[in-house]
Amino acid sequence: MGALGQIGSELTPKLRSIYGEDNVIASDIRTPNYSRTNEGRFEIHDCMDIKKTASIVKKHKIGLIYNLPAILSATAEKYPQRAFEINLLGLYNTLEVAREYKCAVFNPSTIGVFGDTTPKKNTPQDTIMRPSTMYGVTKVSGELLGDYYYSRYNVDVRGVRFPGIISSDTLPGGGTTDYAVEIFYKALKKKKYTSYLKAGTYLDMMYMPDAIKATINLMEIESAHLKHRNAFNVASMCFDVEELAAEIRKHIPEFILSYKIDPVRQKIADSWPDGLDDSEARDQWNWEPSYNLESMTADMLSKLKSKLWH
Ligand SMILES: NC(=O)c1ccc[n+]([C@@H]2O[C@H](COP(=O)([O-])OP(=O)(O)OC[C@H]3O[C@@H](n4cnc5c(N)ncnc54)[C@H](O)[C@@H]3O)[C@@H](O)[C@H]2O)c1
């Protein structure tokens, strides 16, 4: 579900390559308009329509639902009511169907579950979560709902707290960390970028291949290995816009960074951690990222160069 978004459109072909083309049914509220997801089986589906969710699960004998529909942090501040519906009521529908048809569920959470009172550095797995955004409120509630459906109904709900995701293939969908993708396009096309976040705003980020790896590895691990289940901290790199720009300058020395701060996204970013402690994910299901800032930047620039100019 939500298969045409930033994560879904890269997760879907990867799942198909592992489990077989016919064994992965993609769905989204939108019609696919690009080839990769379009190639396989697809259902148009609104996650608010619980009857349709149930009929798709029944029709295709679904055993595992990737619940990806969401309104991301910055957009959720524009449309909080819609975010509440999609992020929380949509998840509730998915969990109800999973309960009835005995499906497992992957439900991604986010670093947005943390707030001003959360320890900022090396943020623990289990800590204070008092987010001030609608995105955070819905995602903390979603984590708790996932735990409840596991303990009460034995629905195998798992998830990670994704940081900002960086991808050369897909554009982000309205989050606070979108700058870390936009900056690469502007660096290659214009050799300059205007940041909406201040220098010194450190945030966790992850390269898409690691996000896909985390998702698949967590869902494949035997249940007995998991002490937590839902909402694992996962980390791979943490930087501010200055550090990212310095890394880009190693490849594009004339790159210029300037600032025009967006108060809404700055406020959200200020309430998020400066770096997560992901030792529980490493211990319980062997989480280990493959990319750091240096290798991600080199790979992004080389992939985008061939995409933009060929
Ligand atoms: N991308 C990130 O940086 C990031 C970071 C942390 C957590 N996450 C989480 O990962 C998940 C996927 O995020 P994403 O970046 O792919 O989001 P996205 O915004 O790129 O994609 C969401 C998809 O959901 C679809 N959708 C919206 N409303 C729908 C509805 N009513 N029914 C069915 N589909 C609907 C949209 O068409 C879109 O294709 C979300 O739960 C998000 O909170 C993402």
Side-chain angles (χ1 to χ4, degrees), residues 1-9 27-31 34 44-49 67-73 75 82 85-87 90 106-112 135 138-139 160-166 170-178 181 205-206 208 272:
M1 295 163 68
L4 300 181
Q6 193 197 16
I7 294 175
S9 57
S27 75
D28 202 288
I29 198 167
R30 298 183 271 146
T31 313
Y34 48 94
I44 299 279
H45 167 238
D46 181 346
C47 68
M48 301 307 294
D49 182 349
N67 186 74
L68 304 177
I71 306 292
L72 301 194
S73 56
T75 313
R82 183 86 183 131
E85 286 171 8
I86 305 297
N87 298 3
F106 175 76
N107 179 50
S109 188
T110 159
I111 54 172
Y135 185 57
T138 60
K139 288 296 193 170
V160 295
R161 292 178 180 137
F162 278 130
I165 307 293
I166 300 168
T170 48
L171 291 170
T176 302
T177 52
D178 291 9
V181 177
M205 301 278 181
M206 183 175 287
M208 184 64 91
W272 289 358

Short mmCIF file of all heavy atoms in Angstrom, two decimals, residues 1-9 27-31 34 44-49 67-73 75 82 85-87 90 106-112 135 138-139 160-166 170-178 181 205-206 208 272, ligand 1:
data_model
loop_
_atom_site.label_atom_id
_atom_site.label_comp_id
_atom_site.label_asym_id
_atom_site.label_seq_id
_atom_site.Cartn_x
_atom_site.Cartn_y
_atom_site.Cartn_z
N MET A 1 0.84 -1.19 0.00
CA MET A 1 0.00 0.00 0.00
C MET A 1 0.88 1.24 0.00
O MET A 1 1.91 1.26 0.66
CB MET A 1 -0.87 0.01 1.26
CG MET A 1 -1.85 -1.14 1.30
SD MET A 1 -2.52 -1.41 2.95
CE MET A 1 -3.48 0.06 3.16
N GLY A 2 0.45 2.28 -0.74
CA GLY A 2 1.31 3.47 -0.86
C GLY A 2 2.53 3.18 -1.71
O GLY A 2 3.61 3.75 -1.51
N ALA A 3 2.35 2.27 -2.70
CA ALA A 3 3.49 1.73 -3.46
C ALA A 3 4.10 2.73 -4.43
O ALA A 3 5.17 2.45 -4.98
CB ALA A 3 3.06 0.47 -4.21
N LEU A 4 3.43 3.86 -4.69
CA LEU A 4 3.99 4.81 -5.65
C LEU A 4 4.76 5.93 -4.98
O LEU A 4 5.25 6.84 -5.63
CB LEU A 4 2.87 5.41 -6.52
CG LEU A 4 2.08 4.39 -7.34
CD1 LEU A 4 1.01 5.09 -8.16
CD2 LEU A 4 2.99 3.58 -8.24
N GLY A 5 4.88 5.88 -3.67
CA GLY A 5 5.61 6.93 -2.95
C GLY A 5 7.12 6.72 -3.03
O GLY A 5 7.61 5.83 -3.73
N GLN A 6 7.85 7.56 -2.26
CA GLN A 6 9.30 7.52 -2.35
C GLN A 6 9.84 6.12 -2.00
O GLN A 6 10.65 5.55 -2.73
CB GLN A 6 9.93 8.57 -1.41
CG GLN A 6 11.40 8.77 -1.69
CD GLN A 6 12.17 9.45 -0.56
OE1 GLN A 6 11.71 9.53 0.57
NE2 GLN A 6 13.35 9.93 -0.86
N ILE A 7 9.39 5.57 -0.89
CA ILE A 7 9.91 4.27 -0.45
C ILE A 7 9.26 3.13 -1.24
O ILE A 7 9.94 2.23 -1.74
CB ILE A 7 9.71 4.10 1.07
CG1 ILE A 7 10.58 5.13 1.81
CG2 ILE A 7 10.06 2.68 1.51
CD1 ILE A 7 10.41 5.17 3.31
N GLY A 8 7.93 3.19 -1.40
CA GLY A 8 7.21 2.10 -2.07
C GLY A 8 7.69 1.85 -3.48
O GLY A 8 7.77 0.69 -3.93
N SER A 9 8.03 2.92 -4.21
CA SER A 9 8.38 2.69 -5.62
C SER A 9 9.77 2.08 -5.75
O SER A 9 10.11 1.57 -6.82
CB SER A 9 8.24 3.96 -6.45
OG SER A 9 9.02 4.97 -5.91
N SER A 27 -0.20 -1.37 -4.47
CA SER A 27 -1.43 -0.59 -4.52
C SER A 27 -1.13 0.84 -4.10
O SER A 27 -0.17 1.11 -3.39
CB SER A 27 -2.50 -1.20 -3.61
OG SER A 27 -2.20 -0.93 -2.26
N ASP A 28 -1.97 1.75 -4.58
CA ASP A 28 -1.84 3.17 -4.20
C ASP A 28 -3.16 3.84 -4.57
O ASP A 28 -3.93 3.31 -5.37
CB ASP A 28 -0.67 3.83 -4.95
CG ASP A 28 -0.16 5.09 -4.24
OD1 ASP A 28 -0.86 6.12 -4.25
OD2 ASP A 28 0.95 5.04 -3.66
N ILE A 29 -3.38 5.01 -4.01
CA ILE A 29 -4.59 5.77 -4.34
C ILE A 29 -4.47 6.38 -5.74
O ILE A 29 -5.46 6.72 -6.38
CB ILE A 29 -4.87 6.85 -3.27
CG1 ILE A 29 -6.31 7.33 -3.34
CG2 ILE A 29 -3.88 7.99 -3.34
CD1 ILE A 29 -6.74 8.15 -2.14
N ARG A 30 -3.20 6.49 -6.21
CA ARG A 30 -2.94 7.08 -7.55
C ARG A 30 -2.75 5.97 -8.57
O ARG A 30 -2.42 4.84 -8.23
CB ARG A 30 -1.65 7.89 -7.53
CG ARG A 30 -1.65 9.06 -6.60
CD ARG A 30 -0.36 9.82 -6.74
NE ARG A 30 0.69 9.34 -5.87
CZ ARG A 30 1.98 9.32 -6.19
NH1 ARG A 30 2.37 9.71 -7.39
NH2 ARG A 30 2.89 8.91 -5.33
N THR A 31 -2.88 6.35 -9.85
CA THR A 31 -2.61 5.41 -10.93
C THR A 31 -1.12 5.44 -11.24
O THR A 31 -0.55 6.52 -11.33
CB THR A 31 -3.36 5.84 -12.21
OG1 THR A 31 -4.69 6.16 -11.83
CG2 THR A 31 -3.35 4.78 -13.27
N TYR A 34 4.62 5.33 -14.18
CA TYR A 34 5.98 5.03 -14.63
C TYR A 34 6.22 3.53 -14.58
O TYR A 34 5.57 2.80 -13.85
CB TYR A 34 7.05 5.81 -13.85
CG TYR A 34 6.92 5.78 -12.36
CD1 TYR A 34 7.60 4.84 -11.61
CD2 TYR A 34 6.10 6.70 -11.70
CE1 TYR A 34 7.49 4.83 -10.24
CE2 TYR A 34 5.99 6.69 -10.33
CZ TYR A 34 6.69 5.75 -9.60
OH TYR A 34 6.58 5.75 -8.25
N ILE A 44 -5.69 -0.10 -7.62
CA ILE A 44 -5.98 1.25 -7.12
C ILE A 44 -6.73 1.09 -5.81
O ILE A 44 -7.72 0.35 -5.74
CB ILE A 44 -6.90 2.02 -8.12
CG1 ILE A 44 -6.22 2.17 -9.46
CG2 ILE A 44 -7.31 3.37 -7.53
CD1 ILE A 44 -5.23 3.29 -9.53
N HIS A 45 -6.27 1.78 -4.77
CA HIS A 45 -6.83 1.50 -3.46
C HIS A 45 -6.62 2.68 -2.52
O HIS A 45 -5.52 3.19 -2.38
CB HIS A 45 -6.14 0.23 -2.91
CG HIS A 45 -6.38 -0.01 -1.46
ND1 HIS A 45 -5.35 -0.10 -0.55
CD2 HIS A 45 -7.53 -0.16 -0.76
CE1 HIS A 45 -5.86 -0.30 0.65
NE2 HIS A 45 -7.17 -0.35 0.55
N ASP A 46 -7.69 3.09 -1.85
CA ASP A 46 -7.62 4.13 -0.82
C ASP A 46 -7.56 3.43 0.54
O ASP A 46 -8.48 2.66 0.86
CB ASP A 46 -8.88 5.01 -0.94
CG ASP A 46 -8.90 6.14 0.08
OD1 ASP A 46 -8.09 6.10 1.03
OD2 ASP A 46 -9.73 7.06 -0.09
N CYS A 47 -6.52 3.70 1.31
CA CYS A 47 -6.38 2.99 2.60
C CYS A 47 -7.49 3.31 3.58
O CYS A 47 -7.63 2.65 4.61
CB CYS A 47 -5.01 3.26 3.21
SG CYS A 47 -4.78 4.97 3.75
N MET A 48 -8.31 4.34 3.29
CA MET A 48 -9.45 4.65 4.15
C MET A 48 -10.63 3.73 3.87
O MET A 48 -11.61 3.72 4.62
CB MET A 48 -9.89 6.12 3.97
CG MET A 48 -8.80 7.14 4.26
SD MET A 48 -8.06 6.90 5.87
CE MET A 48 -9.45 7.27 6.93
N ASP A 49 -10.55 2.98 2.78
CA ASP A 49 -11.66 2.10 2.37
C ASP A 49 -11.36 0.69 2.87
O ASP A 49 -10.77 -0.13 2.18
CB ASP A 49 -11.76 2.15 0.83
CG ASP A 49 -12.92 1.32 0.30
OD1 ASP A 49 -13.51 0.54 1.09
OD2 ASP A 49 -13.20 1.43 -0.90
N ASN A 67 2.50 -1.20 4.99
CA ASN A 67 1.56 -0.09 5.13
C ASN A 67 2.31 1.24 4.95
O ASN A 67 2.82 1.81 5.92
CB ASN A 67 0.92 -0.14 6.53
CG ASN A 67 -0.16 0.90 6.68
OD1 ASN A 67 -1.26 0.76 6.13
ND2 ASN A 67 0.13 1.98 7.39
N LEU A 68 2.38 1.74 3.69
CA LEU A 68 3.20 2.92 3.42
C LEU A 68 2.43 4.22 3.18
O LEU A 68 3.07 5.28 3.12
CB LEU A 68 4.12 2.64 2.21
CG LEU A 68 5.03 1.41 2.34
CD1 LEU A 68 5.84 1.21 1.06
CD2 LEU A 68 5.97 1.52 3.52
N PRO A 69 1.10 4.21 3.03
CA PRO A 69 0.42 5.50 2.80
C PRO A 69 0.67 6.45 3.98
O PRO A 69 0.59 6.02 5.14
CB PRO A 69 -1.07 5.15 2.73
CG PRO A 69 -1.11 3.71 2.40
CD PRO A 69 0.13 3.11 3.02
N ALA A 70 0.99 7.68 3.68
CA ALA A 70 1.23 8.64 4.77
C ALA A 70 1.21 10.05 4.23
O ALA A 70 1.43 10.28 3.04
CB ALA A 70 2.59 8.37 5.43
N ILE A 71 0.94 10.98 5.13
CA ILE A 71 1.16 12.41 4.86
C ILE A 71 2.38 12.77 5.70
O ILE A 71 2.35 12.65 6.93
CB ILE A 71 -0.06 13.26 5.29
CG1 ILE A 71 -1.37 12.74 4.64
CG2 ILE A 71 0.15 14.73 4.98
CD1 ILE A 71 -1.49 12.90 3.16
N LEU A 72 3.47 13.17 5.04
CA LEU A 72 4.74 13.38 5.75
C LEU A 72 4.75 14.71 6.51
O LEU A 72 3.87 15.54 6.37
CB LEU A 72 5.90 13.28 4.76
CG LEU A 72 6.03 11.95 3.99
CD1 LEU A 72 7.39 11.84 3.34
CD2 LEU A 72 5.81 10.74 4.86
N SER A 73 5.85 14.90 7.28
CA SER A 73 5.87 15.91 8.34
C SER A 73 5.46 17.32 7.91
O SER A 73 4.58 17.93 8.53
CB SER A 73 7.25 15.96 8.98
OG SER A 73 8.25 16.20 8.00
N THR A 75 4.01 18.43 5.09
CA THR A 75 2.66 18.46 4.51
C THR A 75 1.61 18.28 5.61
O THR A 75 0.54 18.90 5.56
CB THR A 75 2.51 17.36 3.44
OG1 THR A 75 3.65 17.42 2.59
CG2 THR A 75 1.26 17.53 2.62
N ARG A 82 -6.17 15.72 7.52
CA ARG A 82 -5.93 14.66 6.52
C ARG A 82 -4.82 13.72 7.02
O ARG A 82 -4.91 12.51 6.85
CB ARG A 82 -5.51 15.34 5.20
CG ARG A 82 -5.29 14.39 4.05
CD ARG A 82 -6.58 14.09 3.32
NE ARG A 82 -6.37 13.12 2.26
CZ ARG A 82 -7.14 12.04 2.09
NH1 ARG A 82 -8.15 11.80 2.88
NH2 ARG A 82 -6.90 11.21 1.10
N GLU A 85 -6.14 11.28 9.48
CA GLU A 85 -6.92 10.20 8.84
C GLU A 85 -6.01 9.15 8.19
O GLU A 85 -6.12 7.96 8.45
CB GLU A 85 -7.84 10.78 7.77
CG GLU A 85 -9.02 11.52 8.34
CD GLU A 85 -9.79 12.29 7.28
OE1 GLU A 85 -9.50 12.14 6.07
OE2 GLU A 85 -10.67 13.07 7.68
N ILE A 86 -5.11 9.62 7.33
CA ILE A 86 -4.30 8.66 6.56
C ILE A 86 -3.31 7.93 7.47
O ILE A 86 -3.17 6.71 7.42
CB ILE A 86 -3.49 9.37 5.44
CG1 ILE A 86 -4.40 10.19 4.54
CG2 ILE A 86 -2.66 8.37 4.63
CD1 ILE A 86 -5.41 9.44 3.77
N ASN A 87 -2.61 8.71 8.32
CA ASN A 87 -1.52 8.11 9.10
C ASN A 87 -2.03 7.22 10.22
O ASN A 87 -1.38 6.24 10.56
CB ASN A 87 -0.63 9.20 9.72
CG ASN A 87 0.05 10.07 8.67
OD1 ASN A 87 -0.18 9.90 7.48
ND2 ASN A 87 0.87 11.00 9.10
N GLY A 90 -6.01 5.20 8.69
CA GLY A 90 -5.62 4.28 7.61
C GLY A 90 -4.88 3.08 8.18
O GLY A 90 -5.12 1.93 7.81
N PHE A 106 4.18 -4.52 7.95
CA PHE A 106 5.32 -3.62 8.13
C PHE A 106 4.75 -2.21 8.17
O PHE A 106 4.10 -1.77 7.22
CB PHE A 106 6.33 -3.74 6.98
CG PHE A 106 7.46 -2.74 7.08
CD1 PHE A 106 8.48 -2.93 7.98
CD2 PHE A 106 7.48 -1.60 6.28
CE1 PHE A 106 9.52 -2.01 8.10
CE2 PHE A 106 8.51 -0.67 6.39
CZ PHE A 106 9.53 -0.88 7.30
N ASN A 107 4.99 -1.51 9.29
CA ASN A 107 4.47 -0.16 9.43
C ASN A 107 5.61 0.78 9.82
O ASN A 107 6.03 0.80 10.97
CB ASN A 107 3.38 -0.12 10.51
CG ASN A 107 2.85 1.29 10.69
OD1 ASN A 107 2.49 1.94 9.71
ND2 ASN A 107 2.82 1.76 11.91
N PRO A 108 6.14 1.56 8.86
CA PRO A 108 7.29 2.41 9.19
C PRO A 108 6.91 3.57 10.08
O PRO A 108 5.90 4.23 9.88
CB PRO A 108 7.79 2.90 7.84
CG PRO A 108 6.65 2.77 6.92
CD PRO A 108 5.75 1.68 7.45
N SER A 109 7.75 3.79 11.09
CA SER A 109 7.63 5.00 11.90
C SER A 109 8.73 5.97 11.47
O SER A 109 9.27 5.83 10.35
CB SER A 109 7.70 4.64 13.39
OG SER A 109 7.39 5.77 14.16
N THR A 110 9.11 6.89 12.31
CA THR A 110 9.94 8.00 11.88
C THR A 110 10.68 8.62 13.07
O THR A 110 10.22 8.50 14.22
CB THR A 110 9.03 9.09 11.24
OG1 THR A 110 9.71 10.35 11.25
CG2 THR A 110 7.75 9.29 12.02
N ILE A 111 11.76 9.35 12.77
CA ILE A 111 12.42 10.14 13.83
C ILE A 111 11.48 11.25 14.31
O ILE A 111 11.73 11.86 15.34
CB ILE A 111 13.76 10.74 13.36
CG1 ILE A 111 13.60 11.57 12.06
CG2 ILE A 111 14.80 9.65 13.17
CD1 ILE A 111 14.85 12.35 11.66
N GLY A 112 10.41 11.51 13.56
CA GLY A 112 9.42 12.53 13.94
C GLY A 112 8.61 12.16 15.17
O GLY A 112 7.83 12.97 15.67
N TYR A 135 2.29 14.96 12.47
CA TYR A 135 2.99 13.77 11.96
C TYR A 135 3.49 12.92 13.13
O TYR A 135 3.24 11.71 13.20
CB TYR A 135 4.17 14.23 11.09
CG TYR A 135 4.92 13.13 10.38
CD1 TYR A 135 4.27 12.25 9.52
CD2 TYR A 135 6.30 13.00 10.54
CE1 TYR A 135 4.98 11.26 8.84
CE2 TYR A 135 7.02 12.02 9.86
CZ TYR A 135 6.35 11.16 9.01
OH TYR A 135 7.06 10.19 8.34
N THR A 138 0.64 11.26 15.17
CA THR A 138 0.05 10.08 14.51
C THR A 138 1.02 8.91 14.50
O THR A 138 0.61 7.75 14.62
CB THR A 138 -0.37 10.39 13.05
OG1 THR A 138 0.78 10.80 12.30
CG2 THR A 138 -1.44 11.46 12.99
N LYS A 139 2.31 9.21 14.38
CA LYS A 139 3.28 8.11 14.28
C LYS A 139 3.56 7.46 15.64
O LYS A 139 3.73 6.25 15.71
CB LYS A 139 4.57 8.61 13.63
CG LYS A 139 4.41 8.90 12.14
CD LYS A 139 4.10 7.60 11.41
CE LYS A 139 4.23 7.73 9.91
NZ LYS A 139 4.16 6.44 9.23
N VAL A 160 10.41 0.18 11.60
CA VAL A 160 11.61 0.93 11.98
C VAL A 160 11.24 2.41 12.02
O VAL A 160 10.27 2.83 11.39
CB VAL A 160 12.76 0.74 10.96
CG1 VAL A 160 13.24 -0.70 10.95
CG2 VAL A 160 12.35 1.17 9.56
N ARG A 161 12.03 3.17 12.77
CA ARG A 161 11.88 4.63 12.74
C ARG A 161 12.83 5.15 11.68
O ARG A 161 14.03 5.32 11.94
CB ARG A 161 12.24 5.22 14.10
CG ARG A 161 11.25 4.85 15.17
CD ARG A 161 11.64 5.41 16.52
NE ARG A 161 10.66 5.01 17.52
CZ ARG A 161 10.97 4.59 18.75
NH1 ARG A 161 12.22 4.53 19.14
NH2 ARG A 161 10.01 4.24 19.58
N PHE A 162 12.29 5.37 10.47
CA PHE A 162 13.15 5.84 9.39
C PHE A 162 13.61 7.26 9.66
O PHE A 162 12.81 8.11 10.08
CB PHE A 162 12.42 5.84 8.05
CG PHE A 162 12.37 4.51 7.36
CD1 PHE A 162 11.16 4.02 6.88
CD2 PHE A 162 13.53 3.77 7.15
CE1 PHE A 162 11.10 2.79 6.23
CE2 PHE A 162 13.47 2.54 6.50
CZ PHE A 162 12.26 2.06 6.04
N PRO A 163 14.88 7.55 9.37
CA PRO A 163 15.31 8.95 9.32
C PRO A 163 14.96 9.52 7.95
O PRO A 163 14.19 8.89 7.20
CB PRO A 163 16.83 8.83 9.51
CG PRO A 163 17.20 7.44 9.12
CD PRO A 163 15.95 6.60 9.11
N GLY A 164 15.47 10.68 7.58
CA GLY A 164 15.23 11.23 6.25
C GLY A 164 15.85 10.30 5.20
O GLY A 164 16.99 9.89 5.35
N ILE A 165 15.07 9.99 4.16
CA ILE A 165 15.56 9.03 3.15
C ILE A 165 16.05 9.78 1.92
O ILE A 165 15.33 10.64 1.37
CB ILE A 165 14.44 8.04 2.75
CG1 ILE A 165 13.82 7.36 3.97
CG2 ILE A 165 14.97 7.01 1.76
CD1 ILE A 165 14.71 6.42 4.72
N ILE A 166 17.25 9.41 1.46
CA ILE A 166 17.87 10.05 0.29
C ILE A 166 17.91 9.04 -0.84
O ILE A 166 18.39 7.92 -0.64
CB ILE A 166 19.29 10.52 0.64
CG1 ILE A 166 19.24 11.52 1.79
CG2 ILE A 166 20.00 11.09 -0.57
CD1 ILE A 166 20.59 11.81 2.41
N THR A 170 13.93 8.39 -6.64
CA THR A 170 12.60 8.91 -6.32
C THR A 170 12.71 10.21 -5.52
O THR A 170 13.64 10.39 -4.73
CB THR A 170 11.81 7.89 -5.47
OG1 THR A 170 12.65 7.45 -4.41
CG2 THR A 170 11.37 6.71 -6.29
N LEU A 171 11.72 11.07 -5.72
CA LEU A 171 11.72 12.35 -5.02
C LEU A 171 10.96 12.22 -3.70
O LEU A 171 10.00 11.47 -3.62
CB LEU A 171 11.07 13.42 -5.89
CG LEU A 171 11.89 13.80 -7.12
CD1 LEU A 171 11.07 14.68 -8.06
CD2 LEU A 171 13.18 14.50 -6.72
N PRO A 172 11.41 12.95 -2.67
CA PRO A 172 10.71 12.87 -1.38
C PRO A 172 9.34 13.51 -1.45
O PRO A 172 9.06 14.35 -2.29
CB PRO A 172 11.64 13.62 -0.42
CG PRO A 172 12.49 14.49 -1.28
CD PRO A 172 12.56 13.87 -2.63
N GLY A 173 8.48 13.13 -0.48
CA GLY A 173 7.06 13.50 -0.57
C GLY A 173 6.59 14.50 0.46
O GLY A 173 5.52 14.32 1.02
N GLY A 174 7.38 15.54 0.77
CA GLY A 174 6.86 16.59 1.66
C GLY A 174 7.33 16.47 3.09
O GLY A 174 6.62 16.85 4.02
N GLY A 175 8.56 15.97 3.29
CA GLY A 175 9.12 15.86 4.64
C GLY A 175 10.06 17.01 4.96
O GLY A 175 10.37 17.84 4.10
N THR A 176 10.52 17.02 6.22
CA THR A 176 11.42 18.08 6.69
C THR A 176 12.85 17.87 6.18
O THR A 176 13.64 18.80 6.09
CB THR A 176 11.38 18.07 8.24
OG1 THR A 176 10.02 18.28 8.62
CG2 THR A 176 12.25 19.16 8.84
N THR A 177 13.18 16.62 5.82
CA THR A 177 14.54 16.29 5.39
C THR A 177 14.70 16.31 3.86
O THR A 177 15.73 15.89 3.35
CB THR A 177 14.93 14.90 5.93
OG1 THR A 177 13.90 13.98 5.57
CG2 THR A 177 15.09 14.90 7.44
N ASP A 178 13.69 16.80 3.15
CA ASP A 178 13.72 16.77 1.68
C ASP A 178 14.95 17.49 1.10
O ASP A 178 15.39 17.19 -0.01
CB ASP A 178 12.47 17.45 1.08
CG ASP A 178 11.19 16.66 1.33
OD1 ASP A 178 11.23 15.68 2.10
OD2 ASP A 178 10.14 17.03 0.77
N VAL A 181 17.85 15.68 -0.59
CA VAL A 181 17.74 15.17 -1.96
C VAL A 181 17.81 16.34 -2.94
O VAL A 181 18.58 16.31 -3.90
CB VAL A 181 16.42 14.38 -2.16
CG1 VAL A 181 16.28 13.92 -3.60
CG2 VAL A 181 16.37 13.19 -1.21
N MET A 205 19.97 10.70 8.61
CA MET A 205 19.56 10.46 7.22
C MET A 205 19.96 9.03 6.85
O MET A 205 20.84 8.44 7.49
CB MET A 205 20.29 11.42 6.26
CG MET A 205 20.06 12.88 6.54
SD MET A 205 18.51 13.46 5.84
CE MET A 205 18.59 15.19 6.34
N MET A 206 19.38 8.54 5.76
CA MET A 206 19.72 7.18 5.31
C MET A 206 19.60 7.11 3.80
O MET A 206 18.67 7.68 3.22
CB MET A 206 18.76 6.18 5.97
CG MET A 206 19.08 4.74 5.64
SD MET A 206 17.99 3.62 6.55
CE MET A 206 18.68 3.77 8.19
N MET A 208 18.69 5.30 0.35
CA MET A 208 17.57 4.39 0.05
C MET A 208 17.97 2.90 0.06
O MET A 208 17.21 2.08 0.62
CB MET A 208 16.93 4.76 -1.29
CG MET A 208 15.71 3.95 -1.65
SD MET A 208 14.34 4.20 -0.50
CE MET A 208 13.46 5.54 -1.29
N TRP A 272 13.70 17.43 16.54
CA TRP A 272 14.11 16.05 16.27
C TRP A 272 15.53 15.79 16.78
O TRP A 272 16.32 16.73 16.91
CB TRP A 272 14.03 15.77 14.77
CG TRP A 272 12.63 15.68 14.25
CD1 TRP A 272 11.47 15.77 14.97
CD2 TRP A 272 12.23 15.49 12.88
NE1 TRP A 272 10.38 15.65 14.14
CE2 TRP A 272 10.82 15.48 12.86
CE3 TRP A 272 12.91 15.32 11.69
CZ2 TRP A 272 10.09 15.31 11.69
CZ3 TRP A 272 12.20 15.15 10.52
CH2 TRP A 272 10.80 15.14 10.51
N1 LIG B 1 10.64 9.24 3.08
C1 LIG B 1 11.11 9.51 4.27
O1 LIG B 1 12.09 10.27 4.42
C2 LIG B 1 10.48 8.87 5.48
C3 LIG B 1 11.09 9.07 6.73
C4 LIG B 1 10.51 8.51 7.86
C5 LIG B 1 9.37 7.72 7.74
N2 LIG B 1 8.81 7.54 6.51
C6 LIG B 1 7.59 6.73 6.47
O2 LIG B 1 7.66 5.77 5.42
C7 LIG B 1 6.37 5.57 4.83
C8 LIG B 1 6.44 5.82 3.34
O3 LIG B 1 6.91 7.13 3.14
P1 LIG B 1 7.20 7.73 1.68
O4 LIG B 1 8.34 8.65 1.82
O5 LIG B 1 7.25 6.65 0.67
O6 LIG B 1 5.89 8.62 1.52
P2 LIG B 1 5.35 9.31 0.17
O7 LIG B 1 4.62 10.53 0.58
O8 LIG B 1 6.45 9.44 -0.81
O9 LIG B 1 4.34 8.23 -0.38
C9 LIG B 1 3.12 7.94 0.24
C10 LIG B 1 2.25 7.24 -0.77
O10 LIG B 1 0.98 7.02 -0.15
C11 LIG B 1 -0.02 7.26 -1.12
N3 LIG B 1 -1.27 7.62 -0.46
C12 LIG B 1 -1.63 8.81 0.05
N4 LIG B 1 -2.87 8.74 0.52
C13 LIG B 1 -3.29 7.47 0.32
C14 LIG B 1 -4.49 6.78 0.60
N5 LIG B 1 -5.54 7.39 1.17
N6 LIG B 1 -4.57 5.47 0.27
C15 LIG B 1 -3.54 4.84 -0.33
N7 LIG B 1 -2.38 5.44 -0.64
C16 LIG B 1 -2.26 6.74 -0.30
C17 LIG B 1 0.52 8.41 -1.97
O11 LIG B 1 -0.12 8.44 -3.25
C18 LIG B 1 1.99 8.06 -2.04
O12 LIG B 1 2.29 7.29 -3.19
C19 LIG B 1 5.44 6.52 5.59
O13 LIG B 1 4.81 5.83 6.64
C20 LIG B 1 6.36 7.57 6.17
O14 LIG B 1 5.83 8.15 7.32
C21 LIG B 1 9.33 8.09 5.39
#
